[in-house]
Each structure stands twice: as C-alpha cells, then as structure tokens.
Amino acid sequence: MYTYEYPRPMLTADCVVINPLDEVLLIRRGNEPFRGCWALPGGFMEMDETIGHCAVRELKEETGITVDECAALLVGVFSRPGRDPRGRTVTVAYRVDLDKEVNAVGGDDAAEARWFPLSELPPLAFDHAEIIAAATTAS
C-alpha cells in the first residue's frame, strides 16, 4: 500500500516525565536493542495517530500513567543518524511535568518502570541522556 521511491526514517516519540521531587521516570527495556537498560518511555508512531498521541499512548502502555496530550510539551526532534541500531529513526521528545507523585508500573515491552533523581541517572539507552538534558535545561 505504501510504496515510495526514496527510503524513509522510522518515527518515534519519547516522554521525559518529571515529578515534584525532580525525579524522571525511566523504563527498563524488555526487548532488544538495549534489553535490560534504562530508557525513556516511548515507541513507534502508528499510521493512524499523531506524534503527540503516540507519546501519551506509549507512556500509558509502558508505565500505566495517563496524561492528556495537551500536557505534553515539545522538547525537540532528535534525528542524528545512528541514534538507534535498528535503523534510521527520528524521535520527537516531549516533557510532562506532574503536579504530584504518581506510581508507575512497567507494562507492554517495559520490564520495569522507576523514578530516578535527575542528579543520579543510570546509564541510558539510545541518546536518552541527551534528550533529558535538553528537556531539563529548557525549563
């Protein structure tokens, strides 16, 4: 159905979710690449959704946290070639600021979800350290 002469990148959305304690929500990846590593909640956009809807859908699927799409503020677009070993992938990153502490549980392809102080982040998959830096210096 979709046939084009030129190759196209894959499109994902990632969420930098921050609670009132200045902690960021991370998921432990259940699948390759980077299986077992910590990463931002996010994933691939489906053909029938907007990128903003993708962000909040992936957040809910991977952590159980539901937010309104209008609460997700655009951080930026991250498109460095090689950022994802699966192929040419561009991500649109969003920041979500929560006004209270919220419990998160790993779901879908996330083996675990956990809050980390922004000052004590573990090593992260992909370019997620760069995304968190962009999301937290812009505020």
Side-chain angles (χ1 to χ4, degrees):
M1 176 173 185
Y2 299 98
T3 308
Y4 301 96
E5 181 179 349
Y6 303 100
R8 291 139 342 269
M10 296 172 280
L11 187 59
T12 63
D14 290 305
C15 289
V16 180
V17 183
I18 300 177
N19 70 17
L21 300 176
D22 275 337
E23 295 173 324
V24 66
L25 180 60
L26 299 176
I27 57 107
R28 187 182 300 274
R29 291 184 52 81
N31 297 329
E32 294 295 345
F34 301 107
R35 183 180 185 160
C37 293
W38 293 102
L40 293 168
F44 291 96
M45 186 176 81
E46 296 176 0
M47 294 302 287
D48 63 345
E49 68 183 347
T50 66
I51 194 68
H53 182 263
C54 172
V56 299
R57 175 185 54 78
E58 287 286 345
L59 177 62
K60 182 176 182 177
E61 287 176 2
E62 293 185 344
T63 70
I65 294 176
T66 301
V67 297
D68 200 63
E69 191 174 330
C70 65
L73 304 174
L74 180 65
V75 171
V77 177
F78 296 80
S79 61
R80 178 180 41 78
R83 61 174 299 278
D84 187 328
R86 293 170 290 194
R88 185 73 172 101
T89 306
V90 175
T91 198
V92 179
Y94 292 89
R95 177 174 169 153
V96 175
D97 291 300
L98 301 178
D99 58 2
K100 62 183 178 182
E101 293 180 59
V102 177
N103 225 10
V105 292
D108 193 32
D109 56 349
E112 180 182 356
R114 188 170 137 200
W115 294 97
F116 287 86
L118 281 166
S119 60
E120 300 174 26
L121 296 178
L124 299 173
F126 307 103
D127 56 355
H128 290 184
E130 177 185 339
I131 294 171
I132 292 171
T136 55
T137 56
S139 61

